[in-house]
Amino acid sequence: MRVAVAGCCHGELDKIYETLALAEKRGPGPIDLLLCCGDFQAVRNEADLRCMAVPPKYRHMQTFYRYYSGEKKAPVLTIFIGGNHEASNHLQELPYGGWVAPNIYYLGLAGVVKYRGVRIGGISGIFKSHDYRKGHFECPPYNPATIRSIYHVRNIEVYKLKQLKQPMDIFLSHDWPRKIYHYGNKQQLLKTKSFFRQEVENNTLGSPAASELLEHFKPTYWFSAHLHVKFAALMQHQVKDKGQTAKATKFLALDKCLPHRDFLQVIEIEHDPSAPEYLEYDIEWLTVLRATDDLINVTERQWNMPENNGLHTRWDYSATEEAMNKVLEIMNHDLKVPCNFSITAACYDPSKPQTQMQLVHRINPQTTEFCAQLGVTDMNVRLQKAKEEHPLCGEYEEQDDMEGSDSGEDRSEYNTDTSALSSINPDEIMLDEEEEEEDSIVSTHSDMNTPSVEPSSDQASDFSASFSDVRILPGSMVVSSDDTLGSPDGREGKLGEAAESGDGNDLTELPLKRLSDEHEPEQRKKIKRRNQAIYAAVDDDDAA
């Protein structure tokens, strides 16, 4: 089947679907599935905008609300994960996944589904070591700290995913697995994004948690976004036991949805012709969710997952045949994901803006139904109960926990290096109040450090070329004068014209444009913006 993969969507659904329509006209057939790698921005109304971790001047409605209201419907089944610029209150309603609009499915904090026999997994958010061992304690209304921490990956999701034993076809993450840049055309990457050099040389670029999952699953495909650059890699996994078949993962990261950017890729993926043509739950994943339900933590307390160290009575939560059969009975032998989308919040009305819309911590009926059938906990219900019992304790608990964690020994599975990173990603949206610095973390006991075979530069270049450029511009995609200055040959793209660029050399001479909220030193606060198309124009006298 033909699968389209998109990088950072930034709420530009109209443009992405229009681009798919043009690709279908030029390609051998229709697109069967769209996968989006985060920063989806499922914004329903003005209250959702206030829950998105970008400065207020960049909070604009975009086009998702039209699909939420029913004004439009996604022309192709769309599956997405969360990134670090999301309507977090909306996605929080669906911790186990669910429909955010008809034909648009969110995988949840972590999730695995099947479509036409293809197994698709994913994990939402980005990695930050200081939040990794905490529970999911955040709930709206968020404060300046929790509006960011809510999208940070937690160890419970990684632990659940690592209980899975069956093969994975496709896996999605927003940030890249750490060290993946060693298996592609690293020289070209650093030529295009020179500010990655320090992290690449120090092996600190990307997520160690994602790297751990990559080594665990060894999926056929792994797709990411976040760093706003197209990058392909081929990772040959080392065979640990004799008799095992060597596996390889094709990695592809994509850019953001803008003219002359590599934000979309269409690939052919083998599927089971006899499998249903609708979205299905994965029975092994459901079984793991049910088994690990007692591990759910909705506090800010830091903790480690159970392991075979003599301190836990149980550490293996993998799914047995007996357990999977029991879950299959619970699901009435029907794994079809129900089409039970319902509107849970008022939809944006351009004629009646409501800038003071109240933020509400909602319980989504999809999650209620899923939890009741599977027999698992709705984290939002537990959060609301905790909030009722301790209505004012959240802020004080956060301060106490920070003091305690500073004085105590950090027993996380990731050791934290105190060295700060100073390089800058100018394509990331900068949070004005962001003063964090990326931690350098190295896994101490996971299998992510298992050596894999690094390709030669020629092999990396050849593999990168195997992913063709897809830069078809739909008629509605405005090409601003700023974008034209950075386009190949300085020419303005014609509507419907594919801007071919080969290995992406059109990006190598662009000036620094946007600071990262994950990679920047705190003294660099503002910079002149170039790509206005996604987040609205900024005054020309904006401080650089």
Side-chain angles (χ1 to χ4, degrees), residues 32 62 176 208 541:
D32 300 296
Q62 303 301 355
W176 299 14
D541 60 351

Side-chain angles (χ1 to χ4, degrees), residues 207-369:
S207 164
S211 183
E212 188 174 340
L213 291 172
L214 173 59
E215 284 289 351
H216 175 77
F217 286 125
K218 301 176 176 63
T220 307
Y221 294 94
W222 186 296
F223 301 120
S224 298
H226 189 48
L227 298 182
H228 298 166
V229 62
K230 182 177 180 180
F231 178 76
L234 179 63
M235 186 174 187
Q236 298 282 355
H237 299 281
Q238 190 177 59
V239 177
K240 296 181 181 179
D241 301 320
K242 292 182 179 180
Q244 284 187 339
T245 303
K247 294 183 177 180
T249 297
K250 298 177 182 178
F251 172 83
L252 181 66
L254 290 165
D255 207 332
K256 55 187 171 182
C257 180
L258 278 178
H260 307 299
R261 306 295 283 259
D262 295 311
F263 66 90
L264 189 71
Q265 179 72 52
V266 179
I267 57 177
E268 294 283 346
I269 292 182
E270 292 185 7
H271 70 288
D272 182 357
S274 63
E277 294 190 6
Y278 51 74
L279 196 62
E280 295 181 285
Y281 291 123
D282 182 87
I283 187 63
E284 187 185 18
W285 177 244
L286 293 183
T287 306
V288 169
L289 287 181
R290 184 174 167 85
T292 56
D293 188 60
D294 290 339
L295 299 180
I296 289 177
N297 175 19
V298 296
T299 74
E300 201 175 354
R301 175 177 55 87
Q302 299 206 23
W303 67 316
N304 294 319
M305 292 294 101
E307 56 182 314
N308 186 12
N309 58 3
L311 299 177
H312 305 92
T313 57
R314 183 180 182 184
W315 57 87
D316 184 358
Y317 291 84
S318 57
T320 63
E321 284 294 330
E322 181 182 0
M324 287 191 286
N325 288 332
K326 182 177 181 179
V327 171
L328 199 55
E329 291 179 6
I330 291 173
M331 302 298 291
N332 298 317
H333 294 269
D334 182 11
L335 295 178
K336 180 180 180 180
V337 176
C339 296
N340 57 352
F341 166 75
S342 62
I343 293 178
T344 58
C347 189
Y348 171 68
D349 184 348
S351 65
K352 300 177 181 178
Q354 301 182 44
T355 56
Q356 301 303 317
M357 182 175 290
Q358 184 179 3
L359 271 173
V360 180
H361 184 198
R362 290 185 170 85
I363 304 298
N364 193 296
Q366 291 183 69
T367 304
T368 301
E369 180 180 335

Side-chain angles (χ1 to χ4, degrees), residues 43-47 49 61-62 64-66 68-69 71 345-355 357:
V43 177
R44 303 164 294 185
N45 52 45
E46 294 88 341
L49 277 179
M61 198 58 61
Q62 303 301 355
F64 169 79
Y65 74 92
R66 295 172 178 163
Y68 180 77
S69 68
E71 176 187 342
C347 189
Y348 171 68
D349 184 348
S351 65
K352 300 177 181 178
Q354 301 182 44
T355 56
M357 182 175 290

Side-chain angles (χ1 to χ4, degrees), residues 279-538:
L279 196 62
E280 295 181 285
Y281 291 123
D282 182 87
I283 187 63
E284 187 185 18
W285 177 244
L286 293 183
T287 306
V288 169
L289 287 181
R290 184 174 167 85
T292 56
D293 188 60
D294 290 339
L295 299 180
I296 289 177
N297 175 19
V298 296
T299 74
E300 201 175 354
R301 175 177 55 87
Q302 299 206 23
W303 67 316
N304 294 319
M305 292 294 101
E307 56 182 314
N308 186 12
N309 58 3
L311 299 177
H312 305 92
T313 57
R314 183 180 182 184
W315 57 87
D316 184 358
Y317 291 84
S318 57
T320 63
E321 284 294 330
E322 181 182 0
M324 287 191 286
N325 288 332
K326 182 177 181 179
V327 171
L328 199 55
E329 291 179 6
I330 291 173
M331 302 298 291
N332 298 317
H333 294 269
D334 182 11
L335 295 178
K336 180 180 180 180
V337 176
C339 296
N340 57 352
F341 166 75
S342 62
I343 293 178
T344 58
C347 189
Y348 171 68
D349 184 348
S351 65
K352 300 177 181 178
Q354 301 182 44
T355 56
Q356 301 303 317
M357 182 175 290
Q358 184 179 3
L359 271 173
V360 180
H361 184 198
R362 290 185 170 85
I363 304 298
N364 193 296
Q366 291 183 69
T367 304
T368 301
E369 180 180 335
F370 177 85
C371 292
Q373 184 172 14
L374 190 59
V376 295
T377 300
D378 185 342
M379 285 181 277
N380 290 300
V381 172
R382 185 174 289 185
L383 270 170
Q384 286 193 354
K385 289 182 179 178
K387 204 173 178 181
E388 292 171 0
E389 294 172 1
H390 307 283
L392 299 176
C393 68
E395 181 178 352
Y396 299 107
E397 283 182 355
E398 179 177 354
Q399 293 171 353
D400 291 341
D401 182 76
M402 289 176 65
E403 292 172 1
S405 62
D406 287 343
S407 60
E409 180 183 2
D410 182 3
R411 301 189 331 195
S412 168
E413 51 264 59
Y414 299 110
N415 289 336
T416 302
D417 186 344
T418 57
S419 61
L421 302 179
S422 59
S423 61
I424 298 166
N425 178 1
D427 275 329
E428 282 288 353
I429 301 298
M430 186 193 77
L431 298 183
D432 288 345
E433 58 273 275
E434 177 71 78
E435 295 183 356
E436 302 176 62
E437 293 179 331
E438 179 69 33
D439 300 304
S440 298
I441 323 102
V442 180
S443 174
T444 59
H445 70 264
S446 71
D447 57 0
M448 62 176 276
N449 289 322
T450 302
S452 298
V453 181
E454 294 192 19
S456 66
S457 58
D458 290 339
Q459 289 175 320
S461 180
D462 291 343
F463 177 72
S464 181
S466 69
F467 286 105
S468 61
D469 286 330
V470 180
R471 290 187 178 188
I472 304 171
L473 303 181
S476 67
M477 184 170 280
V478 178
V479 182
S480 69
S481 58
D482 284 340
D483 279 307
T484 305
L485 291 174
S487 63
D489 303 325
R491 291 179 289 108
E492 189 170 319
K494 295 180 180 179
L495 300 182
E497 178 182 37
E500 298 296 339
S501 68
D503 59 2
N505 287 332
D506 56 304
L507 301 181
T508 58
E509 301 301 326
L510 298 184
L512 300 185
K513 302 175 291 301
R514 194 172 289 171
L515 291 183
S516 170
D517 60 336
E518 304 304 328
H519 297 285
E520 76 155 295
E522 60 180 312
Q523 68 268 21
R524 295 289 300 273
K525 288 284 185 172
K526 293 186 177 181
I527 197 166
K528 189 88 168 182
R529 293 175 57 83
R530 167 182 163 270
N531 290 315
Q532 316 288 349
I534 291 297
Y535 288 99
V538 179

